[in-house]
Amino acid sequence: MKVLIFALLVVAVRSQPEPCEAPNVWEGRVLEVVPSRRFERFGKISYDKLGERFRIIEELDIANVTVRYDELYLHQEKVFYRYNLMTRQCTKEALTEPFQPIEVVTGARFETEIYIGTSSLAGGSVAVDLYGGERTVEGPYQATFTSVQCIPVTSAHISSTYGFVHWNFYDVTLGISDPNVFIPHEACRDL
């Protein structure tokens, strides 16, 4: 009996998947929501983990006012560019926040595998793995990644500055289609 219980425990422990490794470079669409600031951002994201940089061309809704920006975050250079697509003005600011990779954080625990969509149609769902843990810079963290290829689907955390922050990622493709995507807009280069 003890051998059977031990065997079941070994199987249960082994059935817990190891945290997956998200792609280093990808593009897609993003929705970010920060309820405490009445902030929503829809946009196209280009992401480079190794270069610690990302760009979001976005439409924001801040307290029911819509604005459009092209934002470039260059963490290794510690600089942030915001090009206003409506006024064609650019600002350059020091980037003081540390880079937060879009990945399963170190020490995250696997919580469960779930299916998004419907199981009543062939191909009507996708399996995702849910992870939870603590970020080193911020607080509690929870994220979902596809079970195959570890593509980011959602990320949520509690920020000491903003409170609850939630990201949804969709239409993700691996790689970067434009090698110049991380070069600042022409109007920003002389700042």
Side-chain angles (χ1 to χ4, degrees):
M1 182 67 165
K2 289 180 184 179
V3 173
L4 178 61
I5 292 172
F6 177 75
L8 290 174
L9 286 173
V10 169
V11 170
V13 168
R14 283 193 179 170
S15 68
Q16 295 294 319
E18 292 293 318
C20 62
E21 187 172 328
N24 290 327
V25 181
W26 52 270
E27 294 177 319
R29 302 233 175 252
V30 63
L31 164 62
E32 179 184 15
V33 178
V34 183
S36 67
R37 301 192 77 181
R38 297 175 49 201
F39 172 90
E40 289 183 357
R41 160 166 57 183
F42 297 92
K44 179 182 181 208
I45 184 170
S46 300
Y47 172 81
D48 175 10
K49 175 185 172 183
L50 301 177
E52 295 186 355
R53 56 193 180 173
F54 65 96
R55 182 179 214 144
I56 300 179
I57 300 172
E58 63 198 1
E59 181 173 291
L60 290 92
D61 182 358
I62 305 171
N64 295 322
V65 176
T66 301
V67 292
R68 293 176 179 84
Y69 293 116
D70 179 347
E71 295 185 340
L72 179 59
Y73 299 78
L74 302 173
H75 285 268
Q76 289 181 352
E77 292 86 0
K78 298 189 182 326
V79 67
F80 163 72
Y81 295 96
R82 176 181 281 151
Y83 178 70
N84 186 316
L85 294 165
M86 298 162 82
T87 66
R88 307 212 184 280
Q89 300 294 311
C90 185
T91 58
K92 177 181 177 182
E93 299 174 24
L95 190 57
T96 57
E97 297 174 5
F99 181 69
Q100 293 284 344
I102 300 169
E103 64 182 0
V104 179
V105 298
T106 303
R109 69 190 172 283
F110 173 80
E111 294 183 354
T112 190
E113 180 181 67
I114 56 176
Y115 291 85
I116 298 173
T118 179
S119 61
S120 63
L121 297 172
S125 65
V126 63
V128 297
D129 294 335
L130 177 62
Y131 295 92
E134 296 282 329
R135 286 183 182 250
T136 55
V137 176
E138 296 288 343
Y141 154 91
Q142 193 171 56
T144 55
F145 294 83
T146 59
S147 296
V148 176
Q149 293 192 312
C150 199
I151 306 298
V153 178
T154 67
S155 178
H157 69 277
I158 305 296
S159 162
S160 57
T161 306
Y162 303 113
F164 180 73
V165 178
H166 182 84
W167 293 59
N168 286 334
F169 304 101
Y170 52 99
D171 297 337
V172 173
T173 57
L174 301 182
I176 299 292
S177 60
D178 178 3
N180 297 317
V181 73
F182 298 114
I183 295 174
H185 192 280
E186 188 176 316
C188 303
R189 292 186 192 152
D190 293 331
L191 295 178

